[in-house]
C-alpha cells in the first residue's frame, strides 16, 4: 500500500488565504498532511479549513499577522494544543505592494522609503518572524522542514518592483544562512529550502499583468515572451516541488531554491 508523503505531518502555511496558498494547503492535505491555514482573513481561512475537512482531510484555521510575533505565538499554541507537534512551515505570506514600485518616470534618487520598507517588512520579516516561532518548536521536536517562497525578481532585474526584488533577494540570503546555521546546530533535524515561482496570475500582480478587460498589459506580454512555455503557471504546478521539500524525500536537501517557472530563469530572451 502506498503511503502518502506527508502522512500526519502538521504543516503551517502562512498566506494560506492567498491564491497560491490555496493550492499549497489543498496539496498538503491531499498528500496526507494536517494543514494550519494561517492568514488575516478569518472567513477565508475557516472556509478553506472546512473544505479540507469536508473532503476527509485535516485542517485548522489560524488567524495571525505574520509581522506580529504575539499573534504567531498564539497560533502556535493553538496547533500544539490540538496536534501536539509541528513538522513543517511554508512561508507563503508576501507579495508586491504599490509603495514598493518605481514607475518609469520616477526619480530613482527620490525613493519612497516608507513604501519600500513596508514591502521589505512583509516579505523578509514576514518570513523570519514565523520561522522564529514555528521553527524553534520543530527544532526541539527534532524534525522539521521550512519552505520559503522566493521569486524570479530575486536574481534577475525585473523593472519597477524594487522593494519586492530586494526583499526576495534577502529571503534567498536568509534561506542559505539559516540552512547552514541550523545544520551546524541541529544536523538534519531542521531544514530550509525555497521555491522560486515564475509568473502566476494572482491578486498581487493582476493589475501589473492584465488590463481590467482581461487582456494582457505590455508587461504581461513581455513576461509571456520571456517564458519558454509561453504561458503563466497554474498554482497547482507548484505543489509537486512543495511536497518534495516538505517530505522526507528531500531529507539531504537544505539551502536550495527550486525554480518552478516554465523556463523563465534560464532563458536569455534571445
Ligand atoms: P496573494 O496576494 O494571493 O497571497 C498572499 C497572501 O498573504 C494573502 O492571503 C494575504 O492576505 C497574505 N498576507 C499578506 N500580508 C500578510 C500579513 N501581514 N500576515 C498574514 N498574511 C498576510 O499572492 P500569491 O501570489 O498567492 O503570493 C504567495 C507568495 O508567492 C508570496 O510570497 C508571493 O510573493 C510569492 N510569489 C508569487 C508569484 C506570482 O506570480 N503570483 C510569483 C513569485 C512569488
Amino acid at each position: 500500500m502506498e503511503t502518502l508523503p506527508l502522512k500526519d505531518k502538521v504543516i503551517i502555511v502562512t498566506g494560506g488565504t492567498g491564491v497560491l496558498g490555496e493550492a499549497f494547503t489543498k496539496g498538503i492535505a491531499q498528500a496526507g498532511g494536517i494543514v494550519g491555514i494561517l492568514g488575516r482573513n478569518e472567513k477565508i481561512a475557516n472556509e478553506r479549513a472546512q473544505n479540507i475537512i469536508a473532503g476527509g482531510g485535516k485542517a485548522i484555521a489560524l488567524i495571525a499577522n505574520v509581522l506580529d510575533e504575539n499573534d504567531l505565538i498564539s497560533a502556535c499554541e493553538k496547533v500544539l494544543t490540538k496536534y501536539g507537534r509541528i513538522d513543517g512551515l511554508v512561508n507563503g505570506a508576501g507579495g508586491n505592494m504599490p509603495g514598493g514600485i518605481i514607475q518609469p518616470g520616477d526619480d530613482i534618487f527620490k525613493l519612497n522609503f516608507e513604501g519600500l520598507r513596508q514591502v521589505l517588512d512583509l516579505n523578509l520579516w514576514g518570513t523570519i518572524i514565523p520561522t522564529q516561532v514555528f521553527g524553534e518548536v520543530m527544532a526541539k521536536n527534532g524534525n522539521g522542514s521550512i519552505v520559503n517562497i522566493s521569486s524570479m525578481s530575486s536574481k534577475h532585474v525585473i523593472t519597477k518592483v524594487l522593494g519586492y526584488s530586494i526583499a526576495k533577494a534577502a529571503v534567498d540570503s536568509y534561506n542559505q544562512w539559516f540552512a547552514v546555521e541550523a545544520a551546524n546546530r541541529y544536523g538534519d533535524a531542521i531544514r530550509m529550502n525555497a521555491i522560486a515561482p515564475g509568473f502566476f496570475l494572482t491578486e498581487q500582480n493582476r493589475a501589473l499583468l492584465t488590463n481590467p478587460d482581461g487582456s494582457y498589459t505590455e508587461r504581461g506580454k513581455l513576461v509571456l515572451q520571456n517564458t519558454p512555455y509561453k504561458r503563466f503557471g497554474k498554482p497547482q504546478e507548484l505543489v509537486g516541488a512543495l511536497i518534495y521539500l516538505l517530505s522526507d524525500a528531500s531529507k539531504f536537501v537544505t539551502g536550495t531554491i527550486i525554480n518552478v517557472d516554465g523556463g523563465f530563469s534560464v532563458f536569455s530572451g534571445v
Side-chain angles (χ1 to χ4, degrees):
M1 203 178 72
E2 200 188 334
T3 311
L4 292 169
L6 301 181
K7 191 166 169 32
D8 296 335
K9 284 188 189 284
V10 179
I11 294 160
I12 313 301
V13 180
T14 77
T17 49
V19 176
L20 299 185
E22 182 171 29
F24 296 162
T25 53
K26 277 188 185 165
I28 291 167
Q30 279 164 5
I34 299 166
V35 202
I37 304 175
L38 189 146
R40 292 169 305 175
N41 188 318
E42 191 167 357
K43 186 169 173 283
I44 298 180
N46 279 326
E47 274 169 14
R48 290 190 179 172
Q50 286 312 319
N51 284 343
I52 288 173
I53 293 165
K58 288 185 186 154
I60 183 172
L62 302 166
I63 311 312
N65 178 341
V66 288
L67 298 177
D68 186 324
E69 194 177 4
N70 289 329
D71 273 9
L72 296 166
I73 291 170
S74 302
C76 187
E77 283 166 357
K78 193 173 167 187
V79 175
L80 291 176
T81 303
K82 187 148 187 201
Y83 299 112
R85 52 185 292 133
I86 296 173
D87 306 285
L89 168 68
V90 182
N91 281 315
N96 202 10
M97 288 173 170
I101 295 178
I102 315 302
Q103 295 297 346
D106 289 351
D107 184 343
I108 57 167
F109 299 108
K110 300 270 184 305
L111 294 176
N112 170 1
F113 291 158
E114 189 43 40
L116 292 168
R117 200 172 283 129
Q118 275 176 16
V119 72
L120 191 65
D121 277 352
L122 172 60
N123 289 279
L124 177 61
W125 291 101
T127 293
I128 295 178
I129 303 171
T131 300
Q132 298 292 289
V133 174
F134 297 107
E136 190 178 19
V137 172
M138 289 189 264
K140 284 186 180 152
N141 262 359
N143 189 36
S145 174
I146 302 172
V147 180
N148 298 322
I149 307 300
S150 178
S151 159
M152 290 297 111
S153 66
S154 73
K155 290 202 168 51
H156 299 277
V157 173
I158 294 182
T159 54
K160 297 186 184 176
V161 292
L162 174 64
Y164 187 67
S165 301
I166 56 179
K168 292 296 190 183
V171 167
D172 287 4
S173 175
Y174 176 63
N175 191 60
Q176 296 180 344
W177 180 89
F178 182 95
V180 171
E181 291 285 15
N184 287 341
R185 289 162 178 74
Y186 302 100
D188 67 5
I190 182 139
R191 306 182 291 116
M192 177 178 273
N193 292 284
I195 294 174
F199 292 81
F200 294 70
L201 263 188
T202 61
E203 295 325 310
Q204 50 132 342
N205 60 18
R206 196 172 300 278
L208 279 171
L209 302 177
T210 59
N211 295 311
D213 66 4
S215 61
Y216 297 132
T217 58
E218 282 311 307
R219 190 177 178 86
K221 288 180 195 158
L222 270 177
V223 166
L224 292 175
Q225 194 180 310
N226 285 285
T227 301
Y229 277 14
K230 299 288 177 266
R231 65 170 174 86
F232 294 114
K234 300 174 192 146
Q236 62 273 24
E237 289 174 323
L238 293 166
V239 171
L242 182 70
I243 305 296
Y244 165 69
L245 291 175
L246 289 170
S247 76
D248 293 341
S250 61
K251 193 74 184 163
F252 199 52
V253 180
T254 197
T256 198
I257 303 173
I258 301 182
N259 296 313
V260 181
D261 63 353
F264 182 92
S265 59
V266 296
F267 185 39
S268 70
V270 179

